[in-house]
Amino acid sequence: MTKPFNIVILISGTGSNALNLIEHFHNKTIFDKKVIIKKVISNNPSAKGLFKAQEKGVDTFVLNHKDFIKREDFDSVLASLVLKESPNLVLLAGFMRVLSEAFLSKLDIPILNIHPSYLPLHKGAHAIKDSFNDSNDFGGVSVHYVSKELDSGTILLQEKIKKACDIESFEKDIHTLEYKLYVEAVLKVLKGS
Ligand code: GAR
């Protein structure tokens, strides 16, 4: 009998990583586990990724951080919402908020984030532009466990990529690498769980 493996994805915007994860994993049986993307949750009511998830039949929910005065209160309600889905894994896919202890201490399961740079280089919200403008001939993508510091935590997988000549091509290459690497990272967790 296949065991269910529940995933919750957190997003803030476009949701192309979330869509890719849904296409690869939702309702699929992998390593004898029935993987279900239980919910896509966004802190941003206009996140385009919400509609992409709905089109694929995945439930969505908006928890607007602007409705909360204190970060900890938002994080605490977010943790309760996530826990309602009995998750085995939480995936941050372009979720542009730092999660405090009020979230992290309530979840005793792996929480992963994808970041578009070869960490620890270029943490923060402008990693692609910052990578492109540095003196290295490479950029990269990292998937790491989430800790309470921004874009930190133990790295699960990361890969470098040769820098393209213009930023548009570089950005496209980064996203292509992200889609590959996040799938590999989830497979790694599924295999080990
Ligand atoms: C992705 O490039 C992701 O790595 C980045 O936001 C983008 C979201 O795109 N995340 C961070 O920078 C986290 N610090 P998407 O919404 O199309 O998946």
Side-chain angles (χ1 to χ4, degrees):
M1 167 125 162
T2 50
K3 284 189 276 171
F5 188 94
N6 297 329
I7 297 180
V8 173
I9 302 180
L10 305 184
I11 64 167
S12 297
T14 315
S16 65
N17 276 283
L19 180 64
N20 182 59
L21 291 165
I22 290 167
E23 285 173 344
H24 271 86
F25 293 108
H26 185 49
N27 275 333
K28 304 266 163 64
T29 300
I30 298 165
F31 303 131
D32 209 26
K33 295 173 185 81
K34 178 74 187 278
V35 181
I36 314 275
I37 311 287
K38 291 289 300 271
K39 199 149 271 181
V40 170
I41 302 176
S42 174
N43 64 303
N44 169 15
S46 357
K48 291 198 178 84
L50 289 166
F51 303 102
K52 293 178 183 158
Q54 287 160 14
E55 274 172 17
K56 294 285 168 187
V58 174
D59 277 352
T60 61
F61 193 87
V62 173
L63 185 70
N64 192 340
H65 65 278
K66 292 186 179 157
D67 292 339
F68 296 81
I69 294 164
K70 285 179 20 199
R71 173 182 296 277
E72 285 71 22
D73 292 342
F74 169 81
D75 285 359
S76 180
V77 175
L78 181 63
S80 308
L81 279 170
V82 170
L83 283 169
K84 264 180 28 192
E85 307 302 327
S86 308
N88 301 94
L89 177 65
V90 175
L91 300 173
L92 275 54
F95 183 69
M96 304 309 263
R97 290 188 61 81
V98 177
L99 291 165
S100 68
E101 275 302 312
F103 181 90
L104 298 174
S105 62
K106 290 200 174 77
L107 276 92
D108 191 18
I109 53 165
I111 306 169
L112 297 180
N113 180 43
I114 189 153
H115 185 72
S117 76
Y118 199 78
L119 289 171
L121 295 173
H122 309 305
K123 297 173 182 182
H126 309 289
I128 296 181
K129 190 166 131 255
D130 294 346
S131 292
F132 187 76
N133 290 328
D134 76 11
S135 58
N136 297 317
D137 62 357
F138 64 87
V141 170
S142 308
V143 178
H144 64 91
Y145 290 94
V146 172
S147 66
K148 62 180 190 303
E149 282 83 38
L150 176 72
D151 299 324
S152 301
T154 309
I155 287 168
L156 177 61
L157 282 178
Q158 65 181 168
E159 205 171 305
K160 285 180 184 167
I161 189 171
K162 198 172 157 36
K163 228 178 249 180
C165 306
D166 58 88
I167 187 146
E168 291 78 19
S169 312
F170 179 60
E171 185 159 10
K172 204 162 157 261
D173 292 348
I174 290 283
H175 289 311
T176 304
L177 180 57
E178 284 191 320
Y179 305 148
K180 177 182 92 78
L181 217 63
Y182 221 175
V183 167
E184 283 176 19
V186 173
L187 286 173
K188 214 169 168 179
V189 173
L190 277 166
K191 200 170 186 179
S193 64

PDB file of all heavy atoms in Angstrom, residues 131-164:
ATOM      1  N   SER A 131      24.384  38.488  -9.013  1.00  0.00           N
ATOM      2  CA  SER A 131      25.297  37.459  -9.556  1.00  0.00           C
ATOM      3  C   SER A 131      25.817  37.889 -10.918  1.00  0.00           C
ATOM      4  O   SER A 131      27.005  37.754 -11.216  1.00  0.00           O
ATOM      5  CB  SER A 131      24.573  36.125  -9.766  1.00  0.00           C
ATOM      6  OG  SER A 131      24.210  35.555  -8.572  1.00  0.00           O
ATOM      7  N   PHE A 132      24.903  38.382 -11.736  1.00  0.00           N
ATOM      8  CA  PHE A 132      25.292  38.775 -13.094  1.00  0.00           C
ATOM      9  C   PHE A 132      26.352  39.874 -13.056  1.00  0.00           C
ATOM     10  O   PHE A 132      27.280  39.885 -13.868  1.00  0.00           O
ATOM     11  CB  PHE A 132      24.071  39.242 -13.899  1.00  0.00           C
ATOM     12  CG  PHE A 132      24.399  39.487 -15.341  1.00  0.00           C
ATOM     13  CD1 PHE A 132      24.575  38.427 -16.219  1.00  0.00           C
ATOM     14  CD2 PHE A 132      24.559  40.779 -15.827  1.00  0.00           C
ATOM     15  CE1 PHE A 132      24.902  38.642 -17.541  1.00  0.00           C
ATOM     16  CE2 PHE A 132      24.889  41.001 -17.157  1.00  0.00           C
ATOM     17  CZ  PHE A 132      25.063  39.928 -18.018  1.00  0.00           C
ATOM     18  N   ASN A 133      26.222  40.766 -12.081  1.00  0.00           N
ATOM     19  CA  ASN A 133      27.132  41.917 -12.021  1.00  0.00           C
ATOM     20  C   ASN A 133      28.415  41.655 -11.234  1.00  0.00           C
ATOM     21  O   ASN A 133      29.255  42.549 -11.144  1.00  0.00           O
ATOM     22  CB  ASN A 133      26.406  43.116 -11.409  1.00  0.00           C
ATOM     23  CG  ASN A 133      25.342  43.646 -12.363  1.00  0.00           C
ATOM     24  OD1 ASN A 133      25.513  43.559 -13.579  1.00  0.00           O
ATOM     25  ND2 ASN A 133      24.254  44.160 -11.836  1.00  0.00           N
ATOM     26  N   ASP A 134      28.579  40.476 -10.671  1.00  0.00           N
ATOM     27  CA  ASP A 134      29.827  40.251  -9.918  1.00  0.00           C
ATOM     28  C   ASP A 134      30.955  39.864 -10.881  1.00  0.00           C
ATOM     29  O   ASP A 134      30.757  39.773 -12.096  1.00  0.00           O
ATOM     30  CB  ASP A 134      29.618  39.246  -8.766  1.00  0.00           C
ATOM     31  CG  ASP A 134      29.535  37.799  -9.236  1.00  0.00           C
ATOM     32  OD1 ASP A 134      29.833  37.517 -10.413  1.00  0.00           O
ATOM     33  OD2 ASP A 134      29.170  36.933  -8.405  1.00  0.00           O
ATOM     34  N   SER A 135      32.160  39.618 -10.327  1.00  0.00           N
ATOM     35  CA  SER A 135      33.319  39.398 -11.207  1.00  0.00           C
ATOM     36  C   SER A 135      33.514  37.926 -11.564  1.00  0.00           C
ATOM     37  O   SER A 135      34.435  37.576 -12.288  1.00  0.00           O
ATOM     38  CB  SER A 135      34.571  39.936 -10.517  1.00  0.00           C
ATOM     39  OG  SER A 135      34.707  39.276  -9.281  1.00  0.00           O
ATOM     40  N   ASN A 136      32.645  37.043 -11.062  1.00  0.00           N
ATOM     41  CA  ASN A 136      32.780  35.616 -11.377  1.00  0.00           C
ATOM     42  C   ASN A 136      32.261  35.326 -12.794  1.00  0.00           C
ATOM     43  O   ASN A 136      31.456  36.088 -13.324  1.00  0.00           O
ATOM     44  CB  ASN A 136      31.969  34.775 -10.382  1.00  0.00           C
ATOM     45  CG  ASN A 136      32.492  34.939  -8.970  1.00  0.00           C
ATOM     46  OD1 ASN A 136      33.697  34.936  -8.752  1.00  0.00           O
ATOM     47  ND2 ASN A 136      31.583  35.110  -8.011  1.00  0.00           N
ATOM     48  N   ASP A 137      32.713  34.195 -13.336  1.00  0.00           N
ATOM     49  CA  ASP A 137      32.185  33.826 -14.658  1.00  0.00           C
ATOM     50  C   ASP A 137      31.036  32.828 -14.525  1.00  0.00           C
ATOM     51  O   ASP A 137      30.627  32.212 -15.495  1.00  0.00           O
ATOM     52  CB  ASP A 137      33.300  33.274 -15.561  1.00  0.00           C
ATOM     53  CG  ASP A 137      33.907  32.006 -14.998  1.00  0.00           C
ATOM     54  OD1 ASP A 137      33.507  31.598 -13.877  1.00  0.00           O
ATOM     55  OD2 ASP A 137      34.769  31.412 -15.675  1.00  0.00           O
ATOM     56  N   PHE A 138      30.540  32.662 -13.302  1.00  0.00           N
ATOM     57  CA  PHE A 138      29.442  31.720 -13.083  1.00  0.00           C
ATOM     58  C   PHE A 138      28.355  32.337 -12.209  1.00  0.00           C
ATOM     59  O   PHE A 138      28.593  33.264 -11.444  1.00  0.00           O
ATOM     60  CB  PHE A 138      29.966  30.444 -12.407  1.00  0.00           C
ATOM     61  CG  PHE A 138      30.514  30.692 -11.015  1.00  0.00           C
ATOM     62  CD1 PHE A 138      29.664  30.669  -9.898  1.00  0.00           C
ATOM     63  CD2 PHE A 138      31.856  30.980 -10.804  1.00  0.00           C
ATOM     64  CE1 PHE A 138      30.154  30.914  -8.619  1.00  0.00           C
ATOM     65  CE2 PHE A 138      32.352  31.229  -9.528  1.00  0.00           C
ATOM     66  CZ  PHE A 138      31.503  31.195  -8.436  1.00  0.00           C
ATOM     67  N   GLY A 139      27.174  31.805 -12.363  1.00  0.00           N
ATOM     68  CA  GLY A 139      26.091  32.035 -11.409  1.00  0.00           C
ATOM     69  C   GLY A 139      25.748  30.686 -10.817  1.00  0.00           C
ATOM     70  O   GLY A 139      26.520  29.737 -10.953  1.00  0.00           O
ATOM     71  N   GLY A 140      24.598  30.573 -10.204  1.00  0.00           N
ATOM     72  CA  GLY A 140      24.246  29.271  -9.651  1.00  0.00           C
ATOM     73  C   GLY A 140      22.881  29.271  -9.013  1.00  0.00           C
ATOM     74  O   GLY A 140      22.190  30.295  -8.952  1.00  0.00           O
ATOM     75  N   VAL A 141      22.523  28.083  -8.560  1.00  0.00           N
ATOM     76  CA  VAL A 141      21.250  27.886  -7.856  1.00  0.00           C
ATOM     77  C   VAL A 141      21.537  27.009  -6.643  1.00  0.00           C
ATOM     78  O   VAL A 141      22.359  26.089  -6.717  1.00  0.00           O
ATOM     79  CB  VAL A 141      20.218  27.195  -8.788  1.00  0.00           C
ATOM     80  CG1 VAL A 141      18.985  26.760  -8.003  1.00  0.00           C
ATOM     81  CG2 VAL A 141      19.813  28.123  -9.930  1.00  0.00           C
ATOM     82  N   SER A 142      20.860  27.315  -5.539  1.00  0.00           N
ATOM     83  CA  SER A 142      21.032  26.525  -4.311  1.00  0.00           C
ATOM     84  C   SER A 142      19.669  26.138  -3.756  1.00  0.00           C
ATOM     85  O   SER A 142      18.734  26.938  -3.760  1.00  0.00           O
ATOM     86  CB  SER A 142      21.756  27.354  -3.240  1.00  0.00           C
ATOM     87  OG  SER A 142      22.956  27.899  -3.753  1.00  0.00           O
ATOM     88  N   VAL A 143      19.578  24.895  -3.277  1.00  0.00           N
ATOM     89  CA  VAL A 143      18.407  24.465  -2.501  1.00  0.00           C
ATOM     90  C   VAL A 143      18.927  24.159  -1.107  1.00  0.00           C
ATOM     91  O   VAL A 143      19.866  23.388  -0.939  1.00  0.00           O
ATOM     92  CB  VAL A 143      17.744  23.212  -3.107  1.00  0.00           C
ATOM     93  CG1 VAL A 143      16.566  22.772  -2.236  1.00  0.00           C
ATOM     94  CG2 VAL A 143      17.283  23.478  -4.533  1.00  0.00           C
ATOM     95  N   HIS A 144      18.313  24.811  -0.120  1.00  0.00           N
ATOM     96  CA  HIS A 144      18.822  24.657   1.251  1.00  0.00           C
ATOM     97  C   HIS A 144      17.686  24.496   2.247  1.00  0.00           C
ATOM     98  O   HIS A 144      16.537  24.897   1.964  1.00  0.00           O
ATOM     99  CB  HIS A 144      19.694  25.873   1.623  1.00  0.00           C
ATOM    100  CG  HIS A 144      18.941  27.165   1.651  1.00  0.00           C
ATOM    101  ND1 HIS A 144      18.329  27.662   2.776  1.00  0.00           N
ATOM    102  CD2 HIS A 144      18.663  28.061   0.669  1.00  0.00           C
ATOM    103  CE1 HIS A 144      17.735  28.807   2.489  1.00  0.00           C
ATOM    104  NE2 HIS A 144      17.918  29.081   1.219  1.00  0.00           N
ATOM    105  N   TYR A 145      18.013  23.903   3.386  1.00  0.00           N
ATOM    106  CA  TYR A 145      17.049  23.837   4.487  1.00  0.00           C
ATOM    107  C   TYR A 145      16.886  25.255   5.035  1.00  0.00           C
ATOM    108  O   TYR A 145      17.849  26.040   5.046  1.00  0.00           O
ATOM    109  CB  TYR A 145      17.547  22.880   5.572  1.00  0.00           C
ATOM    110  CG  TYR A 145      17.504  21.445   5.118  1.00  0.00           C
ATOM    111  CD1 TYR A 145      18.629  20.826   4.561  1.00  0.00           C
ATOM    112  CD2 TYR A 145      16.328  20.704   5.211  1.00  0.00           C
ATOM    113  CE1 TYR A 145      18.579  19.513   4.112  1.00  0.00           C
ATOM    114  CE2 TYR A 145      16.270  19.391   4.763  1.00  0.00           C
ATOM    115  CZ  TYR A 145      17.393  18.804   4.218  1.00  0.00           C
ATOM    116  OH  TYR A 145      17.338  17.507   3.766  1.00  0.00           O
ATOM    117  N   VAL A 146      15.680  25.557   5.486  1.00  0.00           N
ATOM    118  CA  VAL A 146      15.389  26.917   5.936  1.00  0.00           C
ATOM    119  C   VAL A 146      15.780  27.091   7.398  1.00  0.00           C
ATOM    120  O   VAL A 146      15.488  26.248   8.236  1.00  0.00           O
ATOM    121  CB  VAL A 146      13.884  27.229   5.748  1.00  0.00           C
ATOM    122  CG1 VAL A 146      13.505  28.558   6.382  1.00  0.00           C
ATOM    123  CG2 VAL A 146      13.555  27.246   4.259  1.00  0.00           C
ATOM    124  N   SER A 147      16.462  28.197   7.660  1.00  0.00           N
ATOM    125  CA  SER A 147      16.762  28.590   9.038  1.00  0.00           C
ATOM    126  C   SER A 147      16.255  30.016   9.217  1.00  0.00           C
ATOM    127  O   SER A 147      15.760  30.616   8.258  1.00  0.00           O
ATOM    128  CB  SER A 147      18.273  28.514   9.288  1.00  0.00           C
ATOM    129  OG  SER A 147      18.905  29.487   8.497  1.00  0.00           O
ATOM    130  N   LYS A 148      16.408  30.536  10.423  1.00  0.00           N
ATOM    131  CA  LYS A 148      15.785  31.848  10.627  1.00  0.00           C
ATOM    132  C   LYS A 148      16.598  33.010  10.040  1.00  0.00           C
ATOM    133  O   LYS A 148      16.133  34.139  10.033  1.00  0.00           O
ATOM    134  CB  LYS A 148      15.433  32.078  12.094  1.00  0.00           C
ATOM    135  CG  LYS A 148      16.565  32.089  13.070  1.00  0.00           C
ATOM    136  CD  LYS A 148      15.955  32.338  14.458  1.00  0.00           C
ATOM    137  CE  LYS A 148      16.962  32.607  15.530  1.00  0.00           C
ATOM    138  NZ  LYS A 148      17.981  31.606  15.748  1.00  0.00           N
ATOM    139  N   GLU A 149      17.773  32.734   9.501  1.00  0.00           N
ATOM    140  CA  GLU A 149      18.500  33.779   8.768  1.00  0.00           C
ATOM    141  C   GLU A 149      18.143  33.687   7.280  1.00  0.00           C
ATOM    142  O   GLU A 149      17.947  32.593   6.749  1.00  0.00           O
ATOM    143  CB  GLU A 149      20.017  33.627   8.905  1.00  0.00           C
ATOM    144  CG  GLU A 149      20.568  34.115  10.229  1.00  0.00           C
ATOM    145  CD  GLU A 149      20.435  33.062  11.304  1.00  0.00           C
ATOM    146  OE1 GLU A 149      20.617  31.872  10.979  1.00  0.00           O
ATOM    147  OE2 GLU A 149      20.126  33.426  12.458  1.00  0.00           O
ATOM    148  N   LEU A 150      18.100  34.827   6.643  1.00  0.00           N
ATOM    149  CA  LEU A 150      17.724  34.904   5.225  1.00  0.00           C
ATOM    150  C   LEU A 150      18.658  34.084   4.331  1.00  0.00           C
ATOM    151  O   LEU A 150      19.882  34.222   4.399  1.00  0.00           O
ATOM    152  CB  LEU A 150      17.763  36.383   4.791  1.00  0.00           C
ATOM    153  CG  LEU A 150      17.508  36.687   3.327  1.00  0.00           C
ATOM    154  CD1 LEU A 150      16.038  36.466   3.001  1.00  0.00           C
ATOM    155  CD2 LEU A 150      17.928  38.103   2.998  1.00  0.00           C
ATOM    156  N   ASP A 151      18.061  33.225   3.485  1.00  0.00           N
ATOM    157  CA  ASP A 151      18.804  32.445   2.487  1.00  0.00           C
ATOM    158  C   ASP A 151      20.027  31.743   3.089  1.00  0.00           C
ATOM    159  O   ASP A 151      21.112  31.709   2.493  1.00  0.00           O
ATOM    160  CB  ASP A 151      19.208  33.338   1.306  1.00  0.00           C
ATOM    161  CG  ASP A 151      17.992  33.929   0.608  1.00  0.00           C
ATOM    162  OD1 ASP A 151      16.976  33.234   0.521  1.00  0.00           O
ATOM    163  OD2 ASP A 151      18.058  35.086   0.173  1.00  0.00           O
ATOM    164  N   SER A 152      19.836  31.224   4.295  1.00  0.00           N
ATOM    165  CA  SER A 152      20.910  30.489   4.969  1.00  0.00           C
ATOM    166  C   SER A 152      20.406  29.072   5.258  1.00  0.00           C
ATOM    167  O   SER A 152      19.411  28.654   4.725  1.00  0.00           O
ATOM    168  CB  SER A 152      21.311  31.197   6.247  1.00  0.00           C
ATOM    169  OG  SER A 152      21.743  32.502   5.947  1.00  0.00           O
ATOM    170  N   GLY A 153      21.103  28.359   6.118  1.00  0.00           N
ATOM    171  CA  GLY A 153      20.686  26.988   6.407  1.00  0.00           C
ATOM    172  C   GLY A 153      21.476  26.020   5.551  1.00  0.00           C
ATOM    173  O   GLY A 153      22.002  26.370   4.494  1.00  0.00           O
ATOM    174  N   THR A 154      21.524  24.778   6.010  1.00  0.00           N
ATOM    175  CA  THR A 154      22.344  23.751   5.354  1.00  0.00           C
ATOM    176  C   THR A 154      21.927  23.560   3.896  1.00  0.00           C
ATOM    177  O   THR A 154      20.740  23.439   3.593  1.00  0.00           O
ATOM    178  CB  THR A 154      22.173  22.405   6.098  1.00  0.00           C
ATOM    179  OG1 THR A 154      22.396  22.657   7.469  1.00  0.00           O
ATOM    180  CG2 THR A 154      23.123  21.353   5.591  1.00  0.00           C
ATOM    181  N   ILE A 155      22.933  23.507   3.046  1.00  0.00           N
ATOM    182  CA  ILE A 155      22.648  23.347   1.615  1.00  0.00           C
ATOM    183  C   ILE A 155      22.417  21.869   1.288  1.00  0.00           C
ATOM    184  O   ILE A 155      23.209  21.007   1.669  1.00  0.00           O
ATOM    185  CB  ILE A 155      23.787  23.955   0.783  1.00  0.00           C
ATOM    186  CG1 ILE A 155      23.668  25.483   0.877  1.00  0.00           C
ATOM    187  CG2 ILE A 155      23.711  23.507  -0.678  1.00  0.00           C
ATOM    188  CD1 ILE A 155      24.803  26.266   0.381  1.00  0.00           C
ATOM    189  N   LEU A 156      21.315  21.619   0.599  1.00  0.00           N
ATOM    190  CA  LEU A 156      21.006  20.243   0.193  1.00  0.00           C
ATOM    191  C   LEU A 156      21.609  19.970  -1.182  1.00  0.00           C
ATOM    192  O   LEU A 156      22.234  18.936  -1.398  1.00  0.00           O
ATOM    193  CB  LEU A 156      19.474  20.053   0.171  1.00  0.00           C
ATOM    194  CG  LEU A 156      18.946  18.710  -0.287  1.00  0.00           C
ATOM    195  CD1 LEU A 156      19.433  17.574   0.615  1.00  0.00           C
ATOM    196  CD2 LEU A 156      17.416  18.709  -0.312  1.00  0.00           C
ATOM    197  N   LEU A 157      21.444  20.896  -2.096  1.00  0.00           N
ATOM    198  CA  LEU A 157      21.998  20.766  -3.446  1.00  0.00           C
ATOM    199  C   LEU A 157      22.350  22.142  -3.979  1.00  0.00           C
ATOM    200  O   LEU A 157      21.611  23.105  -3.717  1.00  0.00           O
ATOM    201  CB  LEU A 157      20.934  20.201  -4.408  1.00  0.00           C
ATOM    202  CG  LEU A 157      20.614  18.732  -4.401  1.00  0.00           C
ATOM    203  CD1 LEU A 157      19.498  18.475  -5.427  1.00  0.00           C
ATOM    204  CD2 LEU A 157      21.820  17.884  -4.741  1.00  0.00           C
ATOM    205  N   GLN A 158      23.434  22.244  -4.715  1.00  0.00           N
ATOM    206  CA  GLN A 158      23.668  23.490  -5.440  1.00  0.00           C
ATOM    207  C   GLN A 158      24.495  23.212  -6.685  1.00  0.00           C
ATOM    208  O   GLN A 158      25.222  22.223  -6.749  1.00  0.00           O
ATOM    209  CB  GLN A 158      24.289  24.592  -4.569  1.00  0.00           C
ATOM    210  CG  GLN A 158      25.648  24.344  -4.063  1.00  0.00           C
ATOM    211  CD  GLN A 158      26.184  25.487  -3.187  1.00  0.00           C
ATOM    212  OE1 GLN A 158      27.178  25.302  -2.547  1.00  0.00           O
ATOM    213  NE2 GLN A 158      25.578  26.651  -3.156  1.00  0.00           N
ATOM    214  N   GLU A 159      24.321  24.074  -7.666  1.00  0.00           N
ATOM    215  CA  GLU A 159      25.018  23.858  -8.934  1.00  0.00           C
ATOM    216  C   GLU A 159      25.385  25.201  -9.545  1.00  0.00           C
ATOM    217  O   GLU A 159      24.617  26.166  -9.456  1.00  0.00           O
ATOM    218  CB  GLU A 159      24.052  23.096  -9.871  1.00  0.00           C
ATOM    219  CG  GLU A 159      24.764  22.295 -10.932  1.00  0.00           C
ATOM    220  CD  GLU A 159      23.804  21.377 -11.696  1.00  0.00           C
ATOM    221  OE1 GLU A 159      23.090  20.566 -11.065  1.00  0.00           O
ATOM    222  OE2 GLU A 159      23.780  21.495 -12.935  1.00  0.00           O
ATOM    223  N   LYS A 160      26.559  25.221 -10.155  1.00  0.00           N
ATOM    224  CA  LYS A 160      26.983  26.456 -10.845  1.00  0.00           C
ATOM    225  C   LYS A 160      26.538  26.414 -12.296  1.00  0.00           C
ATOM    226  O   LYS A 160      26.310  25.343 -12.854  1.00  0.00           O
ATOM    227  CB  LYS A 160      28.504  26.563 -10.818  1.00  0.00           C
ATOM    228  CG  LYS A 160      29.058  26.955  -9.474  1.00  0.00           C
ATOM    229  CD  LYS A 160      30.571  27.051  -9.534  1.00  0.00           C
ATOM    230  CE  LYS A 160      31.133  27.356  -8.160  1.00  0.00           C
ATOM    231  NZ  LYS A 160      32.582  27.175  -8.060  1.00  0.00           N
ATOM    232  N   ILE A 161      26.497  27.585 -12.890  1.00  0.00           N
ATOM    233  CA  ILE A 161      26.156  27.687 -14.309  1.00  0.00           C
ATOM    234  C   ILE A 161      27.024  28.787 -14.910  1.00  0.00           C
ATOM    235  O   ILE A 161      27.265  29.803 -14.255  1.00  0.00           O
ATOM    236  CB  ILE A 161      24.655  27.997 -14.458  1.00  0.00           C
ATOM    237  CG1 ILE A 161      24.214  27.906 -15.896  1.00  0.00           C
ATOM    238  CG2 ILE A 161      24.288  29.334 -13.904  1.00  0.00           C
ATOM    239  CD1 ILE A 161      22.704  27.994 -16.015  1.00  0.00           C
ATOM    240  N   LYS A 162      27.511  28.562 -16.137  1.00  0.00           N
ATOM    241  CA  LYS A 162      28.355  29.571 -16.778  1.00  0.00           C
ATOM    242  C   LYS A 162      27.502  30.794 -17.119  1.00  0.00           C
ATOM    243  O   LYS A 162      26.370  30.659 -17.561  1.00  0.00           O
ATOM    244  CB  LYS A 162      28.973  28.974 -18.054  1.00  0.00           C
ATOM    245  CG  LYS A 162      30.152  29.739 -18.557  1.00  0.00           C
ATOM    246  CD  LYS A 162      30.839  28.996 -19.699  1.00  0.00           C
ATOM    247  CE  LYS A 162      31.635  29.926 -20.579  1.00  0.00           C
ATOM    248  NZ  LYS A 162      32.318  31.031 -19.941  1.00  0.00           N
ATOM    249  N   LYS A 163      28.078  31.945 -16.882  1.00  0.00           N
ATOM    250  CA  LYS A 163      27.310  33.178 -17.094  1.00  0.00           C
ATOM    251  C   LYS A 163      27.056  33.443 -18.584  1.00  0.00           C
ATOM    252  O   LYS A 163      27.987  33.383 -19.388  1.00  0.00           O
ATOM    253  CB  LYS A 163      28.102  34.349 -16.513  1.00  0.00           C
ATOM    254  CG  LYS A 163      27.284  35.259 -15.649  1.00  0.00           C
ATOM    255  CD  LYS A 163      28.135  36.356 -15.086  1.00  0.00           C
ATOM    256  CE  LYS A 163      28.326  36.209 -13.599  1.00  0.00           C
ATOM    257  NZ  LYS A 163      29.157  37.276 -13.032  1.00  0.00           N
ATOM    258  N   ALA A 164      25.815  33.728 -18.921  1.00  0.00           N
ATOM    259  CA  ALA A 164      25.476  34.123 -20.290  1.00  0.00           C
ATOM    260  C   ALA A 164      25.914  35.572 -20.520  1.00  0.00           C
ATOM    261  O   ALA A 164      26.257  36.284 -19.577  1.00  0.00           O
ATOM    262  CB  ALA A 164      23.972  33.982 -20.507  1.00  0.00           C
TER     263      ALA A 164
END
